[in-house]
Amino acid sequence: MASPRVRQILYEVVTSPPGDTSSTDQVLSRLCAASTAALAVDGAAVALITADGHAGLLAASDAPAAAMEDLQHTVGEGPCLDASRSGSPVLQPDLARTGMARWPGFTPSAADAGIAAVFAFPLNVGAIQLGVLDLYRTTVGPLDALDLAEALDFAAAATIILLDLQQEAPAGQLHPLLAEATEGHREIHQATGMISVQAAVGLTEALLLLRAHAYAAERPLIDIARDVVRRHLTFQPQGDHDE
Amino acid sequence: MSVLFAPKDAGRAAMLATLAGELYAAPDLGTLLERAVEFAAPAVGCDCAGVILWPGHGLEERHSAGSDWRAVQADQLQQWVDDGPGTSPLTADIVTADDTASDAQWPRWGPLVAAELGLHSVLSVALPGHQHRLGVLNLYATRPAVFTIADHALVRPLAVHIALAVTVTTTAGTLERAIASRTRIGQATGVLMERFGLDEADAFAMLKRRSQDQNIALRSVAASLLAERQLPQSRRPPLECRQQ
């Protein structure tokens, strides 16, 4: 499964910096840093993504990389979600020009965060979606062939790290490190459940209502979810929900 | 690899690499097992092959596949008569039977396989796991005494390749299910919080108690609540839930 280059990447991120025995929670951060250094990109993030959507940020090299993930989770669309769903890389060398039609919610906010190009690589095993390696650049332009191959190797290394972590977990349970990443979404799930009762709608629509509210208020999804959970915000049943 | 393969077997190394590629590209565990047995029979040069994975190691149930109807039947016979190389731990990593009709290892299964399916030679190789064996790969031939010690050099790495791919796929499946469970439990907690005016801790406790009372996994209680939008056999929360 692992090519020599993938093994080399794993060796580097698991063992570096020299002399420092790595704790596992640093491994993915180092993978983000190593990919940013090795490729013509400015930042990288690794997120958990399943068929249900974004499930939590695992590591990000800098603030824009983290913002890129939060944004995709808030609006429920974006390159990393498409990459995960399709199982193929999504390459956007000029996001402002080509992204608007595809992700009208994601693209303007990403541009505001200084993201000009996005390259998203799925971390999939067969048809199973586990996550994504998201790379961004502040200037437009494609990844060259060498960088593309290298990025795929980084994605393969990230997949192996995820599986390796999970293998250490007690049977049937999520590894604590991965569980911690999903914890950030706990209130969103609870708010979704609450809204589904409040507005008498299904869970999918409840999440859409939550998203629409966050988008209209220009606030992160998690903030709105906390308002719902703390009962500062209540949704009402209605025939249509045009705010 | 050079230890395992004499020069004349270099083609086998390439074949195993091909197998590994096909297995890791399999969309799901069922397809992976189908591909493994379809590859194994011609690779070893026998008539058919079957694979069995035992429950555990991230698998909730037994999984099996056969390269043709005989292999599928041989597997089903094992379950019916509770005898055969996949029903009890193998006594070694590789066990063989020269003629199932008279072999003492499987007194109930062997004669049936010989008489009903015409499979006389069996080679069973354990699929190695991290701590426990994951299952067994069974190779069958119609003629007696087909398998020799020379076949071990191929079936051992074959079993390792299959076992690794199975481990990767089941681990990925466990990861995916565990994340989905947390989502469902969170959503179900939210439904109870809203319906009964509970805080998070009490709503979660309610789910948990239902799980314990009925001896159903928490994620299943959550899933059925979300599906039916009500806790089975419970329209109102117990009073202590509201007071805590």
Side-chain angles (χ1 to χ4, degrees), chain A residues 1 48 50-52 55 125-130 162-163 166-167 171-174 178-180 182-183 186 189-198 201-203 229 231 234, chain B residues 20 24-28 58 130 167-169 171-176 178-180 182-200 219 226 229:
Chain A
M1 182 181 192
L48 284 174
T50 69
D52 288 333
V125 173
I128 301 172
Q129 301 167 237
L130 299 181
L162 285 187
L163 291 172
Q166 180 56 37
Q167 270 218 277
Q173 289 179 33
L174 201 54
L178 306 176
E180 195 185 314
T182 66
E183 264 308 276
R186 195 179 84 250
H189 302 317
Q190 289 169 1
T192 303
M194 291 177 73
I195 293 168
S196 79
V197 177
Q198 291 170 359
V201 295
L203 292 161
V229 170
R231 299 188 158 89
T234 307
Chain B
Y24 287 116
D28 52 52
H130 185 49
T167 301
V168 164
T169 302
T171 304
T174 304
L175 211 174
E176 185 189 44
I179 291 173
R182 294 175 82 88
T183 302
R184 305 279 170 272
I185 290 166
Q187 290 168 339
T189 305
V191 167
L192 293 179
M193 286 164 75
E194 181 62 25
R195 184 175 299 156
F196 300 123
L198 302 174
D199 67 15
E200 178 189 352
R219 61 184 149 81
L226 295 172
R229 289 302 190 82

Side-chain angles (χ1 to χ4, degrees), chain A residues 35-81:
Chain A
S35 60
T36 305
L39 304 162
V41 297
D42 293 302
V46 177
L48 284 174
I49 296 187
T50 69
D52 288 333
H54 215 286
L57 178 65
L58 286 166
S61 64
D62 57 12
M68 177 169 63
E69 295 306 319
D70 281 349
L71 186 57
Q72 297 190 59
H73 182 45
T74 293
V75 297
E77 65 174 32
C80 81
L81 292 168

